[in-house]
Amino acid sequence: DALERLLTTSADIAIAPGRGGGTNALVVRHPDFRVDYHGASYLDHREIARDVGASLETVDSFRLATDIDEPTDLVEVLVHGLETNRAPARLRAFGFELDDRDGRVDIVRDESVATE
């Protein structure tokens, strides 16, 4: 649904912000828009759209906002993965599990679990 909203908007720029201020998905239909994927790129992309006079739509989506580019991001897969989704099951098969002993949920891996 979020991808459909992102792709079917009539805005010149459609953006799905990532957690932490990044840009996780971006559709550009304005010829003067240029990307800038550094730091808080979501805020930068909004400013660039204003500067070039492009219309902008933000697609607020939990699923698009969650990227998996850091080991700690695997927490989100285990917490929010659907029962029918294979990713959480594979992570558990590889020995990954949630660890909430310190009051914040983290991910740990049992290194004794063999991987294929």
Side-chain angles (χ1 to χ4, degrees):
D1 291 341
L3 281 176
E4 186 172 333
R5 288 193 334 260
L6 192 76
L7 295 170
T8 60
T9 181
S10 61
D12 296 325
I13 310 297
I15 187 170
R19 296 176 19 196
T23 299
N24 277 21
L26 183 67
V27 174
V28 177
R29 297 186 180 95
H30 194 285
D32 296 329
F33 185 89
R34 300 291 179 259
V35 299
D36 181 6
Y37 284 108
H38 297 85
S41 63
Y42 168 67
L43 298 175
D44 295 340
H45 288 141
R46 291 175 52 92
E47 185 175 331
I48 294 166
R50 278 191 299 271
D51 289 348
V52 300
S55 59
L56 175 73
E57 181 170 335
T58 296
V59 176
D60 186 14
S61 165
F62 175 79
R63 295 182 95 182
L64 288 179
T66 304
D67 56 6
I68 310 297
D69 59 354
E70 298 290 332
T72 56
D73 295 337
L74 296 177
V75 168
E76 300 302 328
V77 176
L78 289 176
V79 169
H80 300 286
L82 303 173
E83 294 297 323
T84 58
N85 189 330
R86 295 184 311 191
R90 288 305 293 161
L91 287 174
R92 288 185 181 92
F94 289 143
F96 290 97
E97 60 185 53
L98 296 174
D99 177 11
D100 63 356
R101 288 176 285 175
D102 294 328
R104 179 141 178 95
V105 179
D106 201 356
I107 191 132
V108 294
R109 183 171 186 209
D110 180 349
E111 295 293 334
S112 68
V113 176
T115 59
E116 299 175 20

